[in-house]
DNA sequence: GCCAACGTTGGC
DNA sequence: GCCAACGTTGGC
């Protein structure tokens, strides 16, 4: 069942893409959990996007990397503004950061909510093949950023493709 | 499993 | 501040 997308009328809609290895955390995991903290990101640029630019209500493409096939598997939505990533404080966590402290946290994350899983993923191969996506980060060589902004034209086109594949 | 591309670290 | 060494990401 498709969930209601929150409407925040006073602000301009923004779009993002987040990556996850499906063996680590997949769109199905998000559907099961409904909401999750996007913790464990240890890249400053990705952190800055979450901490400084993401707003509640922004829409998020959910990308599976290192997957068969790699591609966009569904849609999520920013559910909270950024807060401290709890995993940085836990010595037993694989994302523990000894340089960080509760008083001076280094890493931030937002919570994201499940919206929809696409019936058929939009593969990286497809994105690279279509000239519409030529200047989209994810379709470019050497892109390693796990949280990245998405232009409205790309977002709209991707949703169109997803709808087409559903019908 | 390979390796290109990239980010981070630390010596100087 | 430079840059070599190293670690990680992620396509293939």
């Amino acid at each position: 069942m498709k969930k209601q997308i929150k409407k925040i009328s006073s602000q301009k809609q923004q779009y993002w893409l987040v990556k996850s290895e499906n063996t680590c955390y997949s769109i199905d995991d998000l559907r099961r959990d409904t909401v999750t903290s996007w913790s464990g990101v240890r890249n400053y640029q990705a952190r800055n996007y979450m901490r400084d630019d993401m707003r509640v209500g922004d829409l998020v493409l959910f990308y599976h990397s290192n997957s068969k096939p790699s591609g966009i598997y569904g849609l999520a939505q920013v559910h909270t503004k950024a807060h401290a990533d709890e995993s940085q404080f836990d010595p037993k966590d694989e994302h523990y950061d000894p340089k960080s402290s509760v008083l001076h946290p280094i890493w931030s994350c937002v919570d994201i909510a499940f919206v929809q899983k696409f019936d058929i993923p939009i593969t990286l191969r497809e994105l690279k093949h279509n000239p519409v996506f030529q200047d989209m980060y994810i379709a470019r060589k050497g892109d390693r950023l796990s949280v990245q902004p998405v232009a409205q034209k790309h977002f709209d086109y991707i949703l169109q493709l997803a709808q087409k594949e559903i019908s």
Side-chain angles (χ1 to χ4, degrees):
Chain A
M1 194 177 70
K2 188 174 168 179
K3 288 187 60 193
Q4 198 72 35
I5 292 177
K6 274 189 218 168
K7 281 270 194 291
I8 314 284
S9 56
S10 62
Q11 69 186 32
K12 191 174 183 299
Q13 186 71 57
Q14 298 184 129
Y15 308 96
W16 305 94
L17 178 147
V18 298
K19 296 179 187 172
S20 180
E21 297 197 23
N22 62 324
T23 51
C24 178
Y25 193 87
S26 71
I27 187 76
D28 293 316
D29 294 326
L30 181 59
R31 178 162 55 188
R32 179 200 62 215
D33 296 341
T34 311
V35 175
T36 197
S37 280
W38 205 247
S39 59
V41 171
R42 294 295 179 266
N43 171 284
Y44 289 109
Q45 200 179 347
R47 178 205 65 181
N48 292 349
Y49 280 134
M50 287 198 283
R51 189 190 61 187
D52 305 334
D53 299 326
M54 276 193 182
R55 293 181 299 203
V56 174
D58 289 356
L59 294 171
V60 181
L61 299 170
F62 198 106
Y63 180 89
H64 285 183
S65 57
N66 269 315
S67 196
K68 291 179 181 175
S70 291
I72 299 165
Y73 277 71
L75 187 60
Q77 189 170 36
V78 176
H79 197 251
T80 67
K81 65 184 174 65
H83 53 82
D85 176 341
E86 293 300 320
S87 66
Q88 70 195 305
F89 306 130
D90 180 2
K92 290 188 291 294
D93 194 289
E94 63 169 319
H95 298 292
Y96 174 61
D97 187 343
K99 296 191 296 300
S100 185
S101 69
V102 177
L103 277 183
H104 299 284
I106 296 173
W107 304 107
S108 304
C109 66
V110 299
D111 293 1
I112 64 168
F114 177 80
V115 174
Q116 170 185 9
K117 181 183 179 183
F118 298 158
D119 282 4
I120 301 170
I122 296 158
T123 63
L124 178 62
R125 187 188 157 80
E126 215 174 326
L127 295 174
K128 285 192 162 170
H129 190 257
N130 191 331
V132 168
F133 302 115
Q134 209 169 31
D135 54 344
M136 192 176 178
Y137 288 123
I138 193 72
R140 293 223 289 252
K141 188 182 173 187
D143 168 67
R144 303 197 315 163
L145 195 55
S146 67
V147 175
Q148 54 184 259
V150 172
Q152 178 165 11
K153 60 171 180 174
H154 294 145
F155 182 87
D156 290 346
Y157 203 91
I158 283 161
L159 276 214
Q160 267 184 43
L161 287 177
Q163 297 304 332
K164 217 177 281 178
E165 285 169 351
I166 285 165
S167 59

